[in-house]
Amino acid sequence: MRSLFDDPFAGIHKLSWFELVSAAALFRRAHRSSVYGLHRYDVIRTYFKYRKNATPPPNRHFDELPPVTIQLPIYNERYVIERLIDESDQSRVSQASLQIQVLDDSTDDTHPYAEALVERYRALGFPIEYLHRSNREGFKAGALQEGLKTATASL
C-alpha cells in the first residue's frame, strides 16, 4: 500500500540549487507585483469613494493682475542666456505687470553679450533690466537677493 507522503518524482527529477534560487526570485517578483496591484486598486477605490467631496476650484477674477518679477540668475552661460530670455518673454503675463531681471555674475565674455542682448529686448519694448555684480557673494542665491532690492512684485 502506498503512503500519502511518498515522493512521486523519486528517481526522475531532483531540484538543483539554481532552480530553487530562480523559483524564489520569481515568487518574490510575483509578491511585489501583487502588493503594487493592491496599492493601485486602493488608490482607485479611494478616488471613486471621495470624488464627490472634492471642492471645486475657486472662480477668482482679478480686476488687475498683480505684478510679476521673473529673475534670471546667470554665471558664464553665454549660450543659454538668449534662449532663457526668449522663453521668459513668452510668459502669459501681461507686459504691464511683468518685470524681467537678468542677474549676471559672469566673469567671461557673457557680460557684454548679455548686456547687449538686454538692451536689444528693451528697445523692442520688453520690460527687462540688467544687473551685473562684480562679486559672487552668495553665488546665484546672492544674485537673487540682490535683485529683490529692485523687484516691483511684492513677496
Side-chain angles (χ1 to χ4, degrees):
M1 182 166 154
R2 297 184 98 185
S3 173
L4 291 176
F5 299 106
D6 283 346
D7 187 10
F9 297 108
I12 298 174
H13 182 72
K14 184 176 180 183
L15 288 176
S16 68
W17 64 271
F18 181 74
E19 292 171 330
L20 288 173
V21 170
S22 298
L26 287 173
F27 282 119
R28 188 170 50 241
R29 185 174 295 154
H31 179 261
R32 284 185 196 156
S33 296
S34 64
V35 169
Y36 178 74
L38 288 173
H39 175 261
R40 296 283 66 190
Y41 169 75
D42 185 54
V43 167
I44 292 170
R45 184 187 58 82
T46 305
Y47 167 75
F48 282 115
K49 183 178 178 180
Y50 293 109
R51 70 180 173 181
K52 59 184 163 274
N53 296 343
T55 58
N59 291 332
R60 293 178 38 187
H61 295 285
F62 294 103
D63 294 330
E64 183 178 317
L65 291 175
V68 175
T69 299
I70 299 175
Q71 294 182 320
L72 308 173
I74 60 169
Y75 174 71
N76 296 345
E77 300 173 52
R78 178 181 177 161
Y79 300 106
V80 176
I81 184 66
E82 187 168 6
R83 190 172 64 229
L84 189 63
I85 292 174
D86 282 339
E87 289 300 320
S88 62
D89 286 336
Q90 301 294 327
S91 65
R92 294 182 173 181
V93 180
S94 69
Q95 296 289 337
S97 62
L98 179 66
Q99 176 192 23
I100 301 172
Q101 294 180 335
V102 177
L103 310 170
D104 187 12
D105 288 351
S106 298
T107 56
D108 64 352
D109 64 338
T110 304
H111 166 63
Y113 178 74
E115 192 171 16
L117 193 62
V118 167
E119 286 301 320
R120 186 175 74 192
Y121 274 92
R122 188 179 302 142
L124 292 173
F126 291 103
I128 189 168
E129 61 185 58
Y130 180 79
L131 300 169
H132 180 74
R133 296 190 317 159
S134 57
N135 65 348
R136 295 213 53 232
E137 185 177 329
F139 303 105
K140 286 190 178 183
L144 291 170
Q145 188 68 33
E146 190 73 26
L148 283 178
K149 294 177 182 176
T150 60
T152 57
S154 61
L155 295 177

